[in-house]
Amino acid sequence: MNPEPVVGQHPSGGRVKIGFVGAGRMGRPIVDRLRAAGHEVTVLVRRPEARAAAEADGLTWAATLAETVQEADAVFVVVLTDEQVRSVCLGPEGVLAAMRPGATLVQHTTSHPATAGLLADAAAPRGVGVLDAALSGGPHDIAAGRLTLWVGGDEALLDRTRALLDTYAAPVMFVGGLGNGQRVKLVNNALFVAQVGLAVDAVRLAGSLGIDEPAILAALQHGSGASRGLSVVAGGGSVEAVAGRIGALMLKDVNVVRAVAHGAGADLGILGTVLASDAVEKKVLGQAE
């Protein structure tokens, strides 16, 4: 028996047809990497004022979800919230209703793990595959081809889709069944926010001991207490800059991880204590009294 082909790969090894829903700071560099690899990408552009910009950049665009995805071999979803994922993917006017049999949905947006199951349930009757592909990194990582992906779903489907993901991500890690990509991402983000909060409190402690903020941030990056969270605080230049950089985005993820843990009857433990601290609530997430 011949092995199944890479998702969307033509017999000649030519370009893959891709539908792309969502752009912004994360989606656009993925589009650029896919196009640079020779794939045919159609981007959803709903606002008339955005169409001129898309055309100026040489993008192929469509005005509706159906037009964006109906001919695609693979569809990528990179929106902002769980609610947006469900809105664009589910229902009679959603992405899954318009995708052709044999196509694959790659869902990158941080969302509730249960959403991955809803997508799979809607996709199965249409013969569409779903990959729960949570991401970690920023636009600069995508541009360099080193975005981290934690992928849940069918491992064989991932293997057939890996060539597309490899155009902008490394490593691409299989983490188990659908929803596990999101579960790994939520644990990662909870740990990251806690680390930022600890870095904020370390700066406070250092100040109480007579060490100014620039000095302690520079010093700790070379010690055993270094972390990605500390690097974010140092990269922002000060504690005060942190909330403006990551607050709104991380608040969404912290709320989701709390809800998921509560629903599973799981104890957040020390992570929960740090996430509920003033250092995190006020300094990192920017929450008022």
Side-chain angles (χ1 to χ4, degrees), residues 34-106:
L34 290 168
R35 292 178 70 225
H39 301 303
E40 181 181 337
V41 184
T42 299
V43 179
L44 175 67
V45 180
R46 284 172 161 160
R47 293 181 293 110
E49 60 270 25
R51 294 171 189 167
E55 290 172 354
D57 289 343
L59 299 179
T60 300
W61 60 270
T64 69
L65 288 170
E67 292 169 344
T68 303
V69 308
Q70 61 192 2
E71 299 297 327
D73 303 300
V75 173
F76 291 75
V77 174
V78 189
V79 291
L80 293 177
T81 67
D82 182 86
E83 291 76 13
Q84 289 177 349
V85 172
R86 297 187 187 206
S87 175
V88 301
C89 290
L90 300 174
E93 305 298 323
V95 162
L96 289 169
M99 289 176 66
R100 66 170 185 80
T104 298
L105 177 71
V106 180

Side-chain angles (χ1 to χ4, degrees), residues 99-243:
M99 289 176 66
R100 66 170 185 80
T104 298
L105 177 71
V106 180
Q107 203 297 94
H108 280 321
T109 307
T110 303
S111 58
H112 196 292
T115 296
L118 294 177
L119 300 182
D121 290 344
R126 296 192 58 81
V128 170
V130 175
L131 291 176
D132 158 37
L135 54 83
S136 180
H140 59 289
D141 297 307
I142 299 168
R146 60 170 186 258
L147 187 72
T148 296
L149 291 183
W150 298 302
V151 185
D154 180 71
E155 189 170 12
L157 178 59
L158 170 59
D159 289 342
R160 299 196 301 274
T161 313
R162 190 177 290 273
L164 290 179
L165 305 180
D166 284 345
T167 63
Y168 58 90
V172 178
M173 304 178 67
F174 178 68
V175 294
L178 276 169
N180 276 7
Q182 299 303 323
R183 293 182 182 98
V184 171
K185 173 68 180 285
L186 292 172
V187 171
N188 174 81
N189 283 14
L191 180 58
F192 170 71
V193 173
Q195 288 174 344
V196 175
L198 290 172
V200 167
D201 236 18
V203 169
R204 178 198 56 75
L205 174 61
S208 299
L209 299 175
I211 304 172
D212 66 21
E213 185 172 24
I216 194 63
L217 290 176
L220 291 180
Q221 291 184 81
H222 300 282
S224 58
S227 67
R228 183 71 64 89
L230 176 67
S231 296
V232 167
V233 176
S238 70
V239 166
E240 295 304 321
V242 171

